[in-house]
Amino acid sequence: MIWPGTGDPYKRKKTIKFLILTAIIGISAAAGSSIIQQMANPNDPLKACINDRDTPYKIKATIELIIDGKQAEIPANIGLNDGECQRSMYTLSDDGTIYAEWEEEYPFEIGHFLWMWDFPLRDMDQGKSTIYVNDKESEHFINHPLQNNYHYKAVFTSKAYDEAADSDFLPPGN
């Protein structure tokens, strides 16, 4: 099959030049945008490394994660990237303790931690999921502020979860 603009050698050459030029412009725009964003937000606590910063503002909280009715593990070393960059929110062990640090007071949220962890929130049914703060349901869901010495319990139901599997019609013990 001959694609439009490629049958004639002159038109083919012109089409290929156009496609190459368009690709160069697109890549340059994306790279330029990324560089400008990094330069514009060097002190964004959600993206900056805190290795060489004085961080007097510190928060320590605990989180418990339930997915589809089962306890899920919060891994150690979230926010610690091979010793190169320590993010402002991190875990040191798998006991569910979250640490947040910054140069000044910052409104950290539980959702920020989930974002830094790359938690698959898009795979969760947010209408059936909730966050409890000190055993009280939060009206802010993942936007609830992270506060020192508070306990958070995130209960998520995945979109793929089959609730019928929890209540089958077999007698007990089968």
Side-chain angles (χ1 to χ4, degrees):
M1 174 178 190
I2 296 177
W3 296 97
T6 60
D8 180 20
Y10 174 73
K11 287 183 178 180
R12 182 180 323 130
K13 200 179 223 184
K14 198 172 179 181
T15 301
I16 291 171
K17 281 183 183 179
F18 171 76
L19 292 173
I20 290 172
L21 182 61
T22 303
I24 290 171
I25 291 171
I27 291 169
S28 298
S33 172
S34 178
I35 291 169
I36 289 170
Q37 286 180 11
Q38 287 176 355
M39 290 171 49
N41 296 321
N43 290 322
D44 183 355
L46 302 177
K47 296 178 183 174
C49 297
I50 62 170
N51 297 25
D52 57 349
R53 296 177 184 254
D54 179 31
T55 56
Y57 179 68
K58 298 180 189 296
I59 295 175
K60 177 182 173 183
T62 57
I63 185 168
E64 182 181 351
L65 184 63
I66 310 291
I67 300 175
D68 296 336
K70 297 177 183 165
Q71 185 85 27
E73 185 177 313
I74 291 117
N77 301 324
I78 294 171
L80 302 171
N81 299 338
D82 300 327
E84 295 175 16
C85 175
Q86 179 178 342
R87 302 305 270 296
S88 59
M89 295 182 82
Y90 58 93
T91 62
L92 296 174
S93 63
D94 61 357
D95 65 355
T97 303
I98 303 170
Y99 300 92
E101 300 181 21
W102 193 238
E103 297 169 339
E104 57 193 25
E105 189 170 334
Y106 184 81
F108 289 108
E109 297 174 356
I110 197 69
H112 294 153
F113 173 73
L114 296 172
W115 174 73
M116 285 185 177
W117 178 17
D118 290 331
F119 181 77
L121 193 59
R122 290 183 180 186
D123 296 341
M124 302 300 151
D125 184 349
Q126 293 185 21
K128 296 180 181 177
S129 301
T130 189
I131 303 281
Y132 295 93
V133 181
N134 292 337
D135 297 325
K136 294 178 185 169
E137 187 173 353
S138 171
E139 61 187 36
H140 303 293
F141 190 50
I142 62 170
N143 297 9
H144 196 91
L146 194 67
Q147 294 174 304
N148 199 31
N149 296 321
Y150 273 36
H151 177 73
Y152 298 85
K153 181 177 181 181
V155 180
F156 291 107
T157 302
S158 65
K159 291 177 181 175
Y161 181 61
D162 182 16
E163 292 177 9
D166 288 343
S167 57
D168 59 15
F169 297 104
L170 294 176
N174 288 336

